[in-house]
Amino acid sequence: MGRVLAASPARLRQVVPNAPLVVSHLSDTRTAMMEAFRSELSSRPLVSSWNDLLEYLMADMALLLNERVRVLHLNTRNLLIRDEVMSEGTIDQAAFYVREIVRRALELGSASIVVAHNHPSGSPEPSRADIDLTRRLKHGCDAVGVRLFDHVIVAAEGHASFRARGLL
């Protein structure tokens, strides 16, 4: 069922071309579910609702067929300011520009950020490129006084937190 809810409306129309109401209903259900998650996350500090954040990221990105990079911007009380998809990629990579993430954090007045992306392969294990990019992002954030709170990778097999692994 997770893959069905994660599928785009275009993909659903390919699978069930003669059932536009089913496609519409599934798309609306997914939208409502993700909005409920976002609303819940916005109401309390992210650090006190870390498991909710992981559930939200897993529901939104773990089963996608292409990589997606998102940034969650937090204020000084660790409340969610904004959740933005920064890029959509291919089956094994997505653009991840340190400069753009730092620029956007400054525009929004973010005190800290959480970066998240998915691995369509199913494994949440960080690649060498993931680790190198995260180090560059941390350096860029540190230079302008924005805290990189975490980088989370989600996949069908689970998630990986760079902070929990000592990579930040």
Side-chain angles (χ1 to χ4, degrees):
M1 183 59 154
R3 289 202 187 276
V4 172
L5 285 175
S8 70
R11 178 70 181 124
L12 289 171
R13 281 190 293 277
Q14 289 174 340
V15 176
V16 285
N18 298 325
L21 288 177
V22 171
V23 171
S24 177
H25 179 67
L26 287 170
S27 183
D28 291 347
T29 299
R30 182 181 194 291
T31 300
M33 180 181 79
M34 295 315 298
E35 186 54 40
F37 269 126
R38 262 190 293 279
S39 177
E40 186 70 23
L41 285 175
S42 297
S43 67
R44 58 186 190 271
L46 199 63
V47 293
S48 67
S49 55
W50 194 251
N51 287 334
D52 291 341
L53 171 67
L54 293 175
E55 284 181 32
Y56 167 68
L57 294 173
M58 292 292 290
D60 188 50
M61 298 178 7
L63 299 175
L64 294 176
L65 299 177
N66 291 323
E67 281 200 18
R68 172 182 289 170
V69 176
R70 71 180 333 122
V71 179
L72 294 100
H73 298 269
L74 310 175
N75 67 16
T76 54
R77 294 183 351 204
N78 289 322
L79 293 173
L80 186 64
I81 298 171
R82 179 96 33 108
D83 170 13
E84 295 183 323
V85 173
M86 292 297 287
S87 89
E88 300 273 351
T90 64
I91 61 169
D92 62 353
Q93 64 181 6
F96 186 111
Y97 300 107
V98 170
R99 177 186 194 133
E100 292 304 309
I101 291 171
V102 171
R103 180 188 59 78
R104 186 65 175 145
L106 291 172
E107 281 177 4
L108 293 172
S110 305
S112 58
I113 61 172
V114 174
V115 174
H117 82 278
N118 65 307
H119 280 178
S121 68
S123 171
E125 286 303 310
S127 68
R128 182 83 238 154
D130 292 334
I131 294 167
D132 291 343
L133 233 76
T134 301
R135 285 188 178 137
R136 289 199 332 259
L137 179 59
K138 182 169 178 6
H139 180 73
C141 286
D142 287 347
V144 297
V146 174
R147 179 179 180 210
L148 177 57
F149 188 82
D150 205 346
H151 179 176
V152 179
I153 300 173
V154 297
E157 296 172 10
H159 68 276
S161 161
F162 279 59
R163 179 162 302 286
R165 291 176 176 225
L167 295 171
L168 278 180

